[in-house]
Amino acid sequence: MLKWVYGVLIAAFVAMVVGGAVSKANDAWQAQQRAITMMQESQQQQRQKVDEIRDRIARTQAQPTLSDHDRWLIAHLQKTLGRLDTVVDGQQTHSAQLYRGLLRTWVGYAFLGIAMVVLAFCLLVRPSKALTREEKQWLASNPRDIPGLLLDPGAYRNTAAPVRGGSNFVTARIKPVKAGLLRITRSRALTGMGLAFIIAPQGGLAVELYYIADALFVSHIPFSQMTWGGTMQAFTLAGLFVLFSTTSNARLDRRQQTITLPGDNRTLAFNEVESVQLNQVLTTGERSFVNSQIQLNLHNGESLSLLSHGGKEQIYVDLIRTALFLDKPAVIPEA
């Protein structure tokens, strides 16, 4: 029953996101159509002026005898016609670039939409917050009944360690990589999000490659005279940031008895850790939400954040796994 409720909530959230995106896309489409209509009307007006001037030049030249004024008028109209031809050519070039940009943008958005739909489907079929059988047992048990887990409520520290970033969903988990080694790894939700942002620009890139091939092999435009467009690089950069810069990638090595924190450029020995504490930290910003945090309390009085995100149950079982792995007391405030 609870799984069904979660599925409905995720589906409702996806529907809200898609509905908002469709509404914004519709507004953008209408604004672009108005811009295209205004551009086409301007082009039509310029072509009408060109036709009128050419007709006037033809009628003047058709006269049996041309006066000096007629010759001056023809020369003046021909100069004006040249300027208008330049304006019309510029409008046509701008029009082609506009259509090219619109096609690149909307194809890119379509790729992004498909990637997001696939991501949402994967999350519904197999949520990234899914727990193993052992983790479910930890979650359902009283902490005092978990074999090997030491509890020390008196080691609680009131000041939480600084959190470098926050999120309202599960961004990472503490997973056993092999015997004697734990590592903080990205969640499937975070990986899917990063891949979606990387995939999105490929639609725009495909459009750009089409125009490049057309220019080189059909229109035979010299390479030096080709025009270039963007390929939604911001999405790619965002995806790379999500994939490589949003988790700490910390390592807990039992063989070497060390904890490596790449984000802090620091390595700790197991014997420097006094206890492992669970915190609830309010993250404020454009939106405020509560983050769960695994905090390492050191013997020297210092506190360090090992992991934090919006997954309360996932942080809880990861804290138990960490405390058991380090053989250190867990500090779990009573609800």
Side-chain angles (χ1 to χ4, degrees), residues 90-105:
Q91 287 182 332
Q92 291 176 344
T93 300
H94 176 70
S95 176
Q97 292 176 347
L98 176 61
Y99 282 113
R100 177 175 174 176
L102 291 178
L103 181 61
R104 182 177 60 243
T105 299

Side-chain angles (χ1 to χ4, degrees), residues 97-253:
Q97 292 176 347
L98 176 61
Y99 282 113
R100 177 175 174 176
L102 291 178
L103 181 61
R104 182 177 60 243
T105 299
W106 287 104
V107 170
Y109 283 147
F111 267 66
L112 177 60
I114 293 172
M116 289 300 182
V117 169
V118 172
L119 171 62
F121 176 78
C122 292
L123 292 178
L124 285 171
V125 173
R126 189 180 178 188
S128 63
K129 61 183 181 181
L131 303 177
T132 65
R133 179 180 299 178
E134 181 181 45
E135 291 169 343
K136 290 178 180 178
Q137 290 177 349
W138 291 342
L139 190 62
S141 302
N142 188 299
R144 297 182 182 87
D145 299 330
I146 296 176
L149 182 65
L150 304 174
L151 297 176
D152 187 3
Y156 178 77
R157 297 186 183 179
N158 294 318
T159 303
V163 178
R164 283 189 297 271
S167 67
N168 56 359
F169 64 97
V170 179
T171 58
R173 296 293 310 276
I174 298 178
K175 294 288 187 180
V177 179
K178 57 183 179 180
L181 180 63
L182 296 182
R183 183 189 290 273
I184 293 181
T185 60
R186 290 186 306 272
S187 67
R188 286 192 297 273
L190 192 64
T191 300
M193 185 180 299
L195 291 176
F197 278 106
I198 290 177
I199 291 171
Q202 307 318 312
L205 179 61
V207 173
E208 203 64 31
L209 291 176
Y210 165 78
Y211 278 105
I212 291 174
D214 179 77
L216 289 176
F217 305 112
V218 179
S219 303
H220 302 290
I221 298 175
F223 189 82
S224 58
Q225 298 179 13
M226 292 174 57
T227 58
W228 304 89
T231 55
M232 300 173 70
Q233 294 91 340
F235 282 100
T236 300
L237 293 176
L240 293 174
F241 174 80
V242 167
L243 288 179
F244 299 107
S245 302
T246 51
T247 56
S248 67
N249 297 318
R251 291 167 48 97
L252 292 81
D253 193 323

Side-chain angles (χ1 to χ4, degrees), residues 22 39-40 58 61 81 85 93 187 232 265 303 307 319 329 334:
V22 170
M39 180 184 64
Q40 291 174 342
Q61 290 177 335
L81 184 61
D85 286 338
T93 300
S187 67
M232 300 173 70
N265 194 25
S303 297
L307 178 63
L319 174 129
E334 296 182 1

